[in-house]
Amino acid sequence: KWINVDLKSGIIKVEFTKSGKTRIVPINQALREMLSRPRSRGEVYVFTNPDSKDRFREIKRSFRTGCRKAGIEGLRFHDLRHTFASRLVHNGVDIGTVRKLLGHSTLLITQRYIHSDETTLRSAVGSLVKRGDLLHPCDMDGREKFGTEIQAPVINATSMN
């Protein structure tokens, strides 16, 4: 309902959650612009059927219809939560924040929603070199040296006797 959308503050109040707890969810600029569309006076619901002007009663059914019209097969409405979580993590958002945005009570549940592909895993490991972290964790004496490359020791063959 529109009474749960605060475009000035950029938040949506979600009242009927699986856990039964009301949650405040921030929205990004793209969604704010989409929701700022002109609407009829007295319009109660955010999403209405353009033909009947009544609210959608079953979002999953409407979603399936939209997918069918767009030629998308095998996508479930719930898959969007997994995509949301994965994209947040891929963009550097920490898992604790993702947990709060999804409304999960534990990190364990959130971890089930995050899917990493090989490219993401390679990028994660590669980021250490890009940032200069841990290029070589120890020098020859075992002392920690973070963020610097270690030069190989030069051995003089005449001093080895």
Side-chain angles (χ1 to χ4, degrees), residues 31-74:
L31 182 57
R32 186 183 289 191
E33 289 172 12
M34 187 190 90
L35 293 176
S36 294
R37 65 170 169 73
R39 57 183 189 260
S40 317
R41 186 178 195 148
E43 192 173 341
V44 176
Y45 296 101
V46 177
F47 301 105
T48 57
N49 182 318
D51 298 326
S52 68
K53 305 292 184 214
D54 193 17
R55 71 181 176 104
F56 288 111
R57 303 228 181 260
E58 177 58 53
I59 192 71
K60 289 180 183 178
R61 185 172 147 221
S62 301
F63 181 78
R64 281 192 304 268
T65 301
C67 285
R68 189 184 73 248
K69 287 181 178 182
I72 300 170
E73 296 178 15

Side-chain angles (χ1 to χ4, degrees), residues 67-115:
C67 285
R68 189 184 73 248
K69 287 181 178 182
I72 300 170
E73 296 178 15
L75 183 66
R76 300 168 301 142
F77 187 73
H78 192 76
D79 293 337
L80 299 178
R81 286 178 57 85
H82 290 259
T83 301
F84 175 69
S86 294
R87 287 187 178 174
L88 287 171
V89 170
H90 294 175
N91 282 294
V93 177
D94 67 277
I95 193 168
T97 300
V98 176
R99 179 192 67 79
K100 289 177 186 174
L101 288 169
L102 291 175
H104 291 156
S105 58
T106 68
L107 288 176
L108 184 62
I109 296 169
T110 306
Q111 287 174 323
R112 294 179 194 159
Y113 279 71
I114 299 167
H115 309 285

Side-chain angles (χ1 to χ4, degrees), residues 145-161:
K145 284 204 175 194
F146 296 100
T148 59
E149 282 194 74
I150 306 301
Q151 296 295 321
V154 177
I155 299 173
N156 184 339
T158 58
S159 65
M160 295 185 76
N161 294 344

Side-chain angles (χ1 to χ4, degrees), residues 125-150:
V125 173
S127 72
L128 293 175
V129 174
K130 289 178 197 167
R131 290 183 19 202
D133 293 345
L134 300 176
L135 292 181
H136 194 296
C138 298
D139 67 6
M140 297 304 285
D141 297 326
R143 293 175 300 196
E144 293 182 352
K145 284 204 175 194
F146 296 100
T148 59
E149 282 194 74
I150 306 301

Side-chain angles (χ1 to χ4, degrees), residues 14-23:
V14 182
E15 292 182 318
F16 303 104
T17 64
K18 191 174 175 181
S19 69
K21 297 177 183 176
T22 298
R23 200 166 81 242

